[in-house]
Amino acid sequence: MKADYLFRNATVIDGSGYAEYIADVAIKGDRIIRIAPTITEEAETVIDCTNLVLSPGFIDVHTHDDLIVVKRPEYVEKTSQGVTSIIVGNCGISAVCAVLKDEVPDPINLLGELDEFHYPDLASYRDKIDSVTPSVNVATLIGHTTLRNNCVDSLLEPANAANVKQMQQVLRKALEQGALGLSTGLSYGNAINSSTEEICALAELLAEFQGIYTTHMRTEYDGIIDAMQEAFHVGRHAKVPVQISHHKCAGAKNWGRTVETLALIEKYQQNQDINCDLYPYRAGSSNLDLKQVTEDYDILITWSTPHPDMAGKKLQEIAADWAVDVHEAASRLVPAGAIYFQMHEDDVRRVLQHASSMIGSDGLPCDPNPHPRLWGTFPRVLGYYSRDEKLFPLTTAVHKMTGMSAKRFALQDRGLIKEGHFADLVVFDPNKVNEAGTFQNPKQKAEGIEHVFVNGVLTYSQKQMTGKRSGRFLSKNNNVDPK
Ligand SMILES: [Zn+2]
C-alpha cells in the first residue's frame, strides 16, 4: 500500500512522555499506518526529517475559539504553532447552547459579536464546523454561564430550582450530542452569585457520560484555597474528574503560594481525579475588571470602546496622563480589555513543572492587541521553557500538550504517534522552535514549526498556510467518524 507521506529519519517524540527514538513514519488517508526503523515502500511524498522532531499535533485544552474558527476557519494563530485540536467552551462560556437576546453578556462577549451566535444546541454547531472545515479539530465543553444566560431571570442571582432543572435539560442534551463536559467561570460577575449546589446539580449529569468538570475558579487571589476546595467538592459530589483552568496565584500578596496550592492538589489527588492547565506566561488577560485594578503590578490595556486610542498603553501611564488614579482611569476605559502582570515567574514555573499540569493557551482571538499566548504558547513551552531554561525534557513538554491532553479530554486515537492513530502531526526543529511574538508585537508566527498535518492533510508548511484544511468536530462519544 503506497503511503501518502513518508517521514524519513525523524526524531519521534510520540506524546507518551517516554524517550524519543529515530524512525520512519508513514501515513495514508487520515491515519498513521506504519512506524519502523526503516520503511522502504514507496510514498507519494517523502519528507526528510533528519535532525527534526516528529510529534503529535498539539492539543490546546483551554481556548475561547468557539466562533473564530467558524468566522475564519483558516486559523493561522493556532495552526502556525503546531496546534491541531482545540477545546472550546472554557471558563463558563460556550457559544454552543447560547441563546442570546439583544446583547452579549460579559464575559460571553469574549467569543464574538451578537450576530455570530447561532448555536442553540451542539448539533447545529457540529454541523457548522463540519461544513466550514477549520484548520484545526474542535471539541467543546458546555459553559455554566451560557446555561445561566438561557435559564435564569437575572445573572446576578443564584439559580432557583426551576432554573436548575431547565439548565440540566439543556446540558443533558448537549452531553448526549457529544460535549466533553461542563465548564464554569465563577469569578465573573455573571456567575459569582451562583451557588455551589447549583454547580453540583449540573455536574451530577456528567458521570453518566464520563464528562469532565473544568473550572475558572471563584477566585485566584487571596481566597484561592477555598475556591479549590469548592472545585474538589463538586468533583467528589458528582464523581467526575476536575480540571483547574489556567492555574495561577494572582496578586502580589499571593506570589509564591503555588507551593501551597500544588500540595493541596496532591493531597486531594489521593482520593479523586484532579489536573490543571496553564499558559506559560506571568501575565493573564481578559476583559478589564475593576476588581482586579491595582497599583501593585502593570496592567496593559488591549482595547477600549470609549478610548480606542489607549490600546497598547499601560494603565498607570494613562492614569498619569489624565491626572487621575488607576481606578478612575479604568472606570473611564471600560468596556475594555487588559493584560495583567499579576503572577510571579516562580509560580508559573512551579505549575509548569508539576506532573498534573498540561498546556492550554487561553488566547483571546477577537482581541485587536492580544496577549502573545494566542500565537506563542506551545512553541514557548518547547523552546523557551524546555530547551533554553531546561525546566523539563522536550519529551515532557510534548507530553503536556499531546498524550496527556488527549487522554484527559477523551480525544480518541489522538495525542500519540502510534499506528492506527489519526495523522495529526507536527514536524519541528528543536533547535529553532520558539514563539516570535512579544507583548508589544504579539501577532507573529512561531519559529521552527516546519510542517503541520491535520487528519493527514498538510495544512501549514514553511510559515504558510497551504490552503488545505481538514479539521473536524470531535464528539465525546463518537469522535472517530467525521460526522
Ligand atoms: Zn478563565
Side-chain angles (χ1 to χ4, degrees), residues 62 64 91 188 216 245-246 362:
H62 191 100
H64 298 295
C91 296
Y188 289 104
H216 173 157
S245 297
H246 44 59
D362 202 11

Side-chain angles (χ1 to χ4, degrees), residues 8 10 43 64 110 112 172 175 183 192 219 234 250 325 333 391-392:
R8 183 153 278 157
H64 298 295
L110 289 172
R172 170 171 285 280
L175 291 165
S183 77
I192 201 159
T219 182
V234 172
D325 69 14
L333 288 162
L391 240 52
F392 32 65

Side-chain angles (χ1 to χ4, degrees), residues 287-307:
N287 289 340
L288 179 60
D289 171 9
L290 300 180
K291 293 198 309 283
Q292 293 190 59
V293 170
T294 171
E295 300 260 16
D296 290 353
Y297 47 76
D298 285 343
I299 297 174
L300 196 63
I301 299 304
T302 58
W303 58 271
S304 163
T305 303
H307 298 280

Side-chain angles (χ1 to χ4, degrees), residues 81 279 281 283-286 361-364 371-377:
Q81 295 182 53
Y279 45 85
Y281 299 86
S285 183
S286 190
S361 73
D362 202 11
L364 301 176
H371 185 306
R373 65 194 183 184
L374 178 66
W375 289 77
T377 287

